Amino acid sequence: MPTLTAKRDYSIVRSLVRERAAIVLEPGKDYLIESRLDSVVRELGLSSIDDLLSRLRGTRYSVLHEKVVEVMTTNETSFFRDRIPFEIFANVLLPDVLARRDRDRVLSLWCGACSSGQEPYTIAILLRERFPELRHWRIRFFATDISPSMIARCRQGCYSEMEVRRGMPETLLTKYFRRCGTQWEVVDELKMMVTFQTMNLIGTWLSFPRLDFVFLRNVLIYFDLETKKMILRKVRSQLAPDGYLILGGTETIGNLDDGFERLDYRGISCYRVRT
Ligand SMILES: C[S@@+](CC[C@H](N)C(=O)[O-])C[C@H]1O[C@@H](n2cnc3c(N)ncnc32)[C@H](O)[C@@H]1O
């Protein structure tokens, strides 16, 4: 007779991740929870996942809890991810904003949920490559993520061969990166353009200036409806009246917030505050 193994109870992980990061782990995601907890077990030399779960249940919020929240986030990203949104940014949206800011010559951008930095560095490269006149502008460029280890990686700016091969064109690789052992390191000029900071989208936000561009890509998908609405409301209050919000390819505002107007460029949506 086959023996039935009892399903593990991951409710402590689910509530922890929901409470601290607003991420909803659906019931079908047990395999994902298990494999990620397994990495914590191995890293910390614990005896088993059950051992880890009982430590989580038995103590107040600690570095262990923080670690578990961190491993439960999905950090998938790449340079020029989905390509077309960056073309639209460089060919249409940015020229439009720059024309309106020509007198003050100040440009403000925020890349929320920036993971290991490929997205803000893609944007920084586009600014340098396509808009050399911006050297004479004041650029305020923030990139944030909930994960301290992702922000540490962003600041280091070091990427493996495989990571740069995922999207970075050869000519830009040799121009904006230098070899660093087996890795590629972003040049200081780009690093200095971006202020990297940890920030939880459901916590206290940095005090941003009025933002011309908000990139909030591939993160709202992890949240429930109320959290999405709350975040979009806050974005709207930070965005300049003629600024743009850019979401991920599978994300839309739909009827989450009727204060935004949707614009469509070659099938790519971006958003402006409705006037
Ligand atoms: C899939 S990555 C998206 C990276 C990048 N924006 C892109 O589109 O390639 C999602 C990122 O959201 C971050 N994240 C998840 N929950 C968050 C929260 N509550 N506040 C801030 N960042 C969060 C994760 O740490 C992760 O790096």
Side-chain angles (χ1 to χ4, degrees), residues 85-95 109 123 126-127 213 215:
F86 293 105
E87 279 176 22
I88 288 162
F89 167 68
N91 295 338
V92 183
L93 309 182
L94 188 53
L109 311 98
I123 298 164
L126 284 174
L127 297 184
F213 286 96
F215 289 81

Side-chain angles (χ1 to χ4, degrees), residues 31-44:
Y31 67 94
L32 186 134
I33 300 179
E34 187 174 323
S35 76
R36 291 185 182 180
L37 291 185
D38 197 44
S39 71
V40 179
V41 167
R42 278 186 277 114
E43 187 185 330
L44 303 183

Side-chain angles (χ1 to χ4, degrees), residues 12-45:
I12 176 73
V13 177
R14 285 207 166 78
S15 53
L16 187 61
V17 172
R18 181 146 195 169
E19 201 180 291
R20 297 284 164 163
I23 295 171
V24 182
L25 295 168
E26 306 292 351
K29 293 277 171 77
D30 280 10
Y31 67 94
L32 186 134
I33 300 179
E34 187 174 323
S35 76
R36 291 185 182 180
L37 291 185
D38 197 44
S39 71
V40 179
V41 167
R42 278 186 277 114
E43 187 185 330
L44 303 183

Side-chain angles (χ1 to χ4, degrees), residues 18-82:
R18 181 146 195 169
E19 201 180 291
R20 297 284 164 163
I23 295 171
V24 182
L25 295 168
E26 306 292 351
K29 293 277 171 77
D30 280 10
Y31 67 94
L32 186 134
I33 300 179
E34 187 174 323
S35 76
R36 291 185 182 180
L37 291 185
D38 197 44
S39 71
V40 179
V41 167
R42 278 186 277 114
E43 187 185 330
L44 303 183
L46 303 179
S47 60
S48 64
I49 290 182
D50 294 317
D51 178 18
L52 171 56
L53 290 172
S54 68
R55 283 168 196 251
L56 291 175
R57 288 191 201 104
T59 53
R60 295 233 308 261
Y61 193 77
S62 64
V63 283
L64 183 65
H65 295 77
E66 196 175 297
K67 176 106 202 147
V68 167
V69 173
E70 192 163 356
V71 295
M72 284 302 155
T73 59
T74 298
N75 304 120
E76 166 66 17
T77 189
S78 58
F79 292 104
F80 291 91
R81 181 175 185 177
D82 304 333

Side-chain angles (χ1 to χ4, degrees), residues 2-207:
T3 49
L4 288 176
T5 40
K7 268 185 88 178
R8 269 205 196 94
D9 176 10
Y10 290 120
S11 52
I12 176 73
V13 177
R14 285 207 166 78
S15 53
L16 187 61
V17 172
R18 181 146 195 169
E19 201 180 291
R20 297 284 164 163
I23 295 171
V24 182
L25 295 168
E26 306 292 351
K29 293 277 171 77
D30 280 10
Y31 67 94
L32 186 134
I33 300 179
E34 187 174 323
S35 76
R36 291 185 182 180
L37 291 185
D38 197 44
S39 71
V40 179
V41 167
R42 278 186 277 114
E43 187 185 330
L44 303 183
L46 303 179
S47 60
S48 64
I49 290 182
D50 294 317
D51 178 18
L52 171 56
L53 290 172
S54 68
R55 283 168 196 251
L56 291 175
R57 288 191 201 104
T59 53
R60 295 233 308 261
Y61 193 77
S62 64
V63 283
L64 183 65
H65 295 77
E66 196 175 297
K67 176 106 202 147
V68 167
V69 173
E70 192 163 356
V71 295
M72 284 302 155
T73 59
T74 298
N75 304 120
E76 166 66 17
T77 189
S78 58
F79 292 104
F80 291 91
R81 181 175 185 177
D82 304 333
R83 205 175 42 83
I84 298 174
F86 293 105
E87 279 176 22
I88 288 162
F89 167 68
N91 295 338
V92 183
L93 309 182
L94 188 53
D96 172 57
V97 168
L98 294 187
R100 296 160 194 266
R101 302 286 182 276
D102 198 34
R103 275 173 57 151
D104 297 344
R105 301 194 165 200
V106 180
L107 181 73
S108 306
L109 311 98
W110 169 43
C111 180
C114 66
S115 189
S116 38
Q118 285 87 331
E119 186 173 46
Y121 284 130
T122 298
I123 298 164
I125 287 173
L126 284 174
L127 297 184
R128 273 287 170 273
E129 195 60 19
R130 305 279 294 275
F131 302 89
E133 70 274 21
L134 287 179
R135 284 176 189 282
H136 308 292
W137 286 45
R138 185 162 169 225
I139 308 289
R140 298 178 295 194
F141 189 174
F142 305 88
T144 63
D145 197 276
I146 191 175
S147 159
S149 67
M150 285 300 124
I151 291 301
R153 277 209 66 195
C154 293
R155 289 184 182 140
Q156 261 184 335
C158 288
Y159 299 95
S160 68
E161 187 73 36
M162 204 161 84
E163 285 171 322
V164 294
R165 294 292 161 211
R166 281 189 70 198
M168 182 57 63
E170 188 70 37
T171 46
L172 299 180
L173 180 64
T174 47
K175 192 164 172 187
Y176 292 104
F177 293 76
R178 59 171 167 257
R179 267 273 180 212
C180 181
T182 57
Q183 303 233 311
W184 290 90
E185 185 178 358
V186 172
V187 295
D188 290 345
E189 185 196 345
L190 287 193
K191 286 190 194 173
M192 278 160 28
M193 283 174 72
V194 192
T195 303
F196 291 105
Q197 209 51 257
T198 50
M199 192 188 106
N200 190 339
L201 290 165
I202 59 159
T204 309
W205 287 23
L206 300 181
S207 59

